[in-house]
Amino acid sequence: MSHSYKDINTIKSRKLNQRVLLETANLSYLKSYTRVPNVLKKRLRRQEKVTFILKNKKSFRVVRDQTHLLFLEKFGMLYSSSANLSSKPFCLQWAKKMADILVIDRRGYQEKDASKIYKISEIKLRKIR
């Protein structure tokens, strides 16, 4: 996680201007980036492990995991990406080598299933993954 998406893209060997997921503690932080349609706000608040892509091509996830939420609330919003090289499998040694600061809770590190992805239009959601 980082305040700078360019740092994440550099570490992951991607194009510097490639878009990166924003993780937020709640929807109010998104007001500075975009407008979430009123008809979808309730659904967005209640979703877990879901990434949303907005009309302006920015993507975000509202964090629900309590342990992660405690950490994220201190920063408001952070850019996030998987802990692997672009299109490569998870490698704990690489992730530790590339990180400036390691935050490890009682669950440790593990590779998990990818989140669901929905694209938001004015009044509906379309499932991407």
Side-chain angles (χ1 to χ4, degrees):
M1 300 184 87
S2 174
H3 282 290
S4 169
Y5 69 91
K6 290 180 181 179
D7 291 345
I8 291 175
N9 286 338
T10 301
I11 290 169
K12 290 180 63 81
S13 302
R14 300 192 295 201
K15 293 183 267 180
L16 286 182
N17 61 349
Q18 183 170 333
R19 297 183 188 275
V20 178
L21 171 73
L22 270 171
E23 286 194 354
T24 180
N26 65 52
L27 287 175
S28 65
Y29 291 110
L30 291 174
K31 289 180 183 177
S32 62
Y33 285 89
T34 188
R35 182 187 166 277
V36 177
N38 287 332
V39 294
L40 298 175
K41 284 182 183 177
K42 183 176 180 181
R43 185 166 184 189
L44 270 58
R45 279 194 309 268
R46 295 181 180 197
Q47 292 286 347
E48 290 188 29
K49 298 181 184 175
V50 176
T51 300
F52 296 99
I53 303 171
L54 302 166
K55 287 190 313 180
N56 61 6
K57 306 283 192 231
K58 293 191 180 202
S59 59
F60 73 94
R61 181 182 304 139
V62 179
V63 174
R64 294 284 169 246
D65 177 71
Q66 289 301 313
T67 307
H68 190 157
L69 192 61
L70 287 171
F71 175 78
L72 192 57
E73 282 178 337
K74 295 180 185 342
F75 301 98
M77 274 193 309
L78 290 173
Y79 290 101
S80 176
S81 183
S82 57
N84 59 340
L85 275 171
S86 191
S87 69
K88 302 283 187 210
F90 175 73
C91 175
L92 182 59
Q93 290 77 21
W94 180 85
K96 285 181 175 181
K97 182 177 134 187
M98 300 310 289
D100 293 333
I101 299 171
L102 293 174
V103 179
I104 304 172
D105 65 10
R106 67 184 179 284
R107 298 172 293 187
Y109 284 111
Q110 55 190 331
E111 187 171 8
K112 294 185 178 182
D113 294 335
S115 65
K116 297 174 193 166
I117 300 176
Y118 289 97
K119 188 168 186 175
I120 297 175
S121 70
E122 288 297 323
I123 56 171
K124 64 181 179 177
L125 295 175
R126 187 179 70 164
K127 189 171 185 173
I128 305 292
R129 174 176 71 189

